[in-house]
Amino acid sequence: MKFINSKLDYAFKKIFGSSESQDILISFLNAIIYEGKNKIKSLEIIDPYSPGQVEIFKDSFNY
């Protein structure tokens, strides 16, 4: 049985980059950034290669 190395960019995108995997991505980010506290409630995955989408995201991002 072969396993995917999640440290590779391609594998990370496959595991966490789809709309079906939002729950696990939220859990992962909360664990890494906020030490397991449930701060991130929802997120939107955008395509960084779509023209204009990244600029709109930067303007609306509130950290």
Side-chain angles (χ1 to χ4, degrees):
M1 177 182 286
K2 291 186 177 186
F3 293 98
I4 296 174
N5 183 353
S6 61
K7 293 179 184 175
L8 299 175
D9 185 50
Y10 175 78
F12 188 88
K13 287 177 185 175
K14 282 294 192 188
I15 295 168
F16 297 107
S18 70
S19 59
E20 293 84 25
S21 62
Q22 282 188 6
D23 291 338
I24 194 163
L25 177 57
I26 290 170
S27 296
F28 175 75
L29 293 173
N30 279 324
I32 297 297
I33 299 169
Y34 298 112
E35 299 175 346
K37 296 179 182 133
N38 196 17
K39 299 236 179 193
I40 300 172
K41 305 287 184 198
S42 66
L43 55 82
E44 179 181 351
I45 299 172
I46 60 168
D47 182 0
Y49 302 106
S50 296
Q53 288 290 353
V54 175
E55 290 304 318
I56 293 169
F57 175 70
K58 286 180 182 178
D59 292 339
S60 66
F61 185 67
N62 186 6
Y63 189 73

